[in-house]
Amino acid sequence: MAKKAMVEREKKRQKLVAKYATKRAELKAIAADAERPMEERFKANLKLAKLPRNSSETRLHNRCQLTGRPKAYYRKLKLSRIALRDLASKGQIPGMVKSSW
């Protein structure tokens, strides 16, 4: 089980990303537009830098929804390998069978 503080921190980041997503996208579009004047593009970059760091989508980290584990995460299932194996062993994931040879 992951530390609760880390899981809560990740939730807080997700909220910030959702809150600032449109503003961040607009500023990035202005900064990348080569047809705009240089001063306007520079101001957009400054405004972008003033936004909270945790509002950037690259700072998000995938975590298992059951355990909060950050490593060995399956995106499609939103679970870690350990949680996936536990659920499969209990027969709670339809069609999944433990392999043996």
Side-chain angles (χ1 to χ4, degrees):
M1 189 74 189
K3 289 183 181 178
K4 286 195 175 187
M6 299 303 278
V7 174
E8 292 303 316
R9 187 180 300 165
E10 199 62 37
K11 288 179 186 175
K12 185 178 176 183
R13 282 188 186 135
Q14 288 172 347
K15 287 179 187 175
L16 272 174
V17 167
K19 181 179 178 182
Y20 287 99
T22 55
K23 189 172 188 178
R24 188 172 277 278
E26 290 169 1
L27 290 172
K28 277 188 176 184
I30 292 170
D33 190 5
E35 294 178 6
R36 292 184 184 256
M38 193 60 146
E39 297 95 24
E40 189 178 344
R41 292 169 60 195
F42 186 70
K43 285 179 183 176
N45 271 328
L46 288 177
K47 286 181 182 177
L48 195 60
K50 285 186 178 182
L51 293 178
R53 281 190 179 178
N54 284 336
S55 69
S56 174
E57 198 172 358
T58 57
R59 291 180 65 98
L60 290 178
H61 199 284
N62 292 328
R63 286 185 173 269
C64 175
Q65 287 189 339
L66 291 180
T67 61
R69 189 174 204 271
K71 297 181 179 179
Y73 174 85
Y74 289 101
R75 289 181 184 181
K76 202 170 191 177
L77 303 169
K78 297 183 179 178
L79 295 173
S80 67
R81 64 179 176 83
I82 298 168
L84 177 67
R85 183 175 173 144
D86 284 343
L87 291 176
S89 295
K90 294 175 185 173
Q92 294 180 346
I93 299 178
M96 188 169 279
V97 183
K98 183 181 174 210
S99 66
S100 60
W101 59 92

